[in-house]
Amino acid sequence: VTEQKSGFLGSLNEQQSEALDELKERMKESKFAETIKNHPQGDCNLLRFLRATMKNKTSKRVFRVEDAEKRLLKVLEWKESNQIQEPPEKLDVFRKVYPNYHWVDSKAGTLVWINRLGEAFNNMKPEHLTREMWGHCVGHEMEMAEEELRSTVEPGQEFRGYVSVADCKGIGLGALTRLSLISFISDTAGYNYPEVVGKIVLVNTPWIFPKLFAAFKPFIDKDTLSKFQIHSDIPLEFFRNEFDLDKLPVEYGGNNEMTVPYPLDSKKYTPGQD
């Protein structure tokens, strides 16, 4: 169950409640009025954008309606112009270059994704996808993730952001050459899908990782940075306490015999693995 803290449905203060009502009224005048009205999450969808306006501000309890409206309209325009709900032309390539294994975890109460981030960063190539296609594919996958998250709660209820487990084994200095792309991917996901990602658990981080992370940090917003947990190995006790062992792969301490897929062009990539 989502922690009931300030800014969530059922725990709004007077200013927040008035801000929500004002944003709802403003959206009735927009071209996306029906989209907002028919959103399965109802007020919870608007509250995610309102809560985002509290980040890095002097007052943590005040919603800023104009900021939320501007961001929400920009996101909706982006989704419409890119037809985000439709599978992109190069989605199959994207899923080979940046594959994952994911499931809805009843114990964690949310969606869990595992990917081989280190291998993926080492093997990304310009010829795989254009920058624009990266944005479209990331957006589509985030849209599908949000749909799955909504399936974990009743309509109109708050969901818990998904847990992203990123295996950093194999990452090297070559990742620095992908800094611009990595920043673009992070911005696309974070800006357009507030609170869809709940935790980012980095595992198997090598000795060189602190230097790499120091290079990435300036390009990651503070809210996203607060979600990181960094481990030099696989935190078996944490995973076993947090996740359904029958869904968690053996490699990460569970009972599931499946293998998390390796990215395209990595040494262990096998055609048809996904």
Side-chain angles (χ1 to χ4, degrees):
V1 178
T2 303
E3 181 185 353
Q4 288 301 296
K5 51 188 177 181
S6 179
F8 286 80
L9 201 63
S11 62
L12 301 178
N13 62 32
E14 184 177 356
Q15 188 277 333
Q16 292 169 345
S17 182
E18 291 175 355
L20 174 60
D21 289 340
E22 182 181 345
L23 181 58
K24 287 163 71 173
E25 287 301 311
R26 290 189 180 204
M27 294 310 297
K28 288 179 182 178
E29 305 300 320
S30 80
K31 61 181 283 191
F32 298 107
E34 286 300 308
T35 299
I36 294 296
K37 178 182 177 182
N38 297 324
H39 194 282
Q41 269 203 300
D43 288 352
C44 291
N45 177 50
L46 298 179
L47 284 170
R48 286 192 291 122
F49 285 86
L50 284 165
R51 285 194 294 271
T53 70
M54 297 193 299
K55 309 299 183 186
N56 306 317
K57 303 291 183 180
T58 303
S59 174
K60 297 292 186 180
R61 295 171 59 83
V62 176
F63 286 163
R64 291 162 175 79
V65 178
E66 289 188 7
D67 291 349
E69 178 187 28
K70 181 180 178 180
R71 180 171 176 174
L72 180 55
L73 290 175
K74 187 174 180 179
V75 168
L76 290 172
E77 289 281 5
W78 174 79
K79 288 184 178 183
E80 181 180 72
S81 63
N82 285 281
Q83 297 182 305
I84 288 300
Q85 289 194 327
E86 298 298 319
E89 179 185 356
K90 298 290 187 178
L91 184 61
D92 59 332
V93 176
F94 172 84
R95 287 177 173 172
K96 288 182 172 67
V97 173
Y98 198 51
N100 72 84
Y101 167 63
H102 65 275
W103 70 93
V104 173
D105 195 292
S106 57
K107 187 174 181 179
T110 188
L111 192 64
V112 180
W113 290 58
I114 299 182
N115 65 66
R116 299 187 186 277
L117 187 70
E119 295 272 4
F121 281 5
N122 281 353
N123 291 283
M124 288 177 179
K125 294 182 174 62
E127 59 266 28
H128 286 150
L129 297 163
T130 63
R131 186 181 179 89
E132 180 183 9
M133 187 54 65
W134 268 104
H136 194 171
C137 288
V138 168
H140 178 76
E141 294 290 74
M142 292 296 292
E143 190 76 15
M144 296 302 101
E146 185 178 328
E147 283 191 16
E148 286 197 78
L149 288 172
R150 290 200 297 268
S151 74
T152 66
V153 297
E154 295 296 322
Q157 289 188 352
E158 304 270 9
F159 58 66
R160 291 183 60 187
Y162 75 78
V163 180
S164 175
V165 178
D167 191 333
C168 297
K169 185 176 182 179
I171 197 169
L173 288 174
L176 292 174
T177 64
R178 282 87 171 179
L179 189 57
S180 175
L181 176 59
I182 293 166
S183 175
F184 175 67
I185 291 171
S186 176
D187 289 346
T188 298
Y191 186 83
N192 295 296
Y193 297 91
E195 299 184 5
V196 170
V197 179
K199 294 179 183 177
I200 304 171
V201 185
L202 304 181
V203 303
N204 287 330
T205 57
W207 65 271
I208 200 172
F209 188 80
K211 293 183 179 179
L212 294 174
F213 198 63
F216 294 144
K217 282 180 70 174
F219 299 92
I220 304 174
D221 66 87
K222 290 184 179 180
D223 182 49
T224 300
L225 280 174
S226 70
K227 300 176 182 180
F228 280 90
Q229 296 180 20
I230 302 175
H231 303 271
S232 60
D233 55 7
I234 296 174
L236 296 177
E237 183 176 357
F238 170 72
F239 282 177
R240 288 167 179 165
N241 289 334
E242 192 82 3
F243 305 137
D244 179 349
L245 295 183
D246 289 334
K247 297 289 183 66
L248 184 67
V250 170
E251 182 180 359
Y252 298 93
N255 301 325
N256 191 337
E257 297 288 347
M258 73 83 58
T259 299
V260 176
Y262 286 84
L264 184 68
D265 291 339
S266 65
K267 291 181 179 180
K268 293 187 178 180
Y269 172 76
T270 303
Q273 63 179 3
D274 48 348

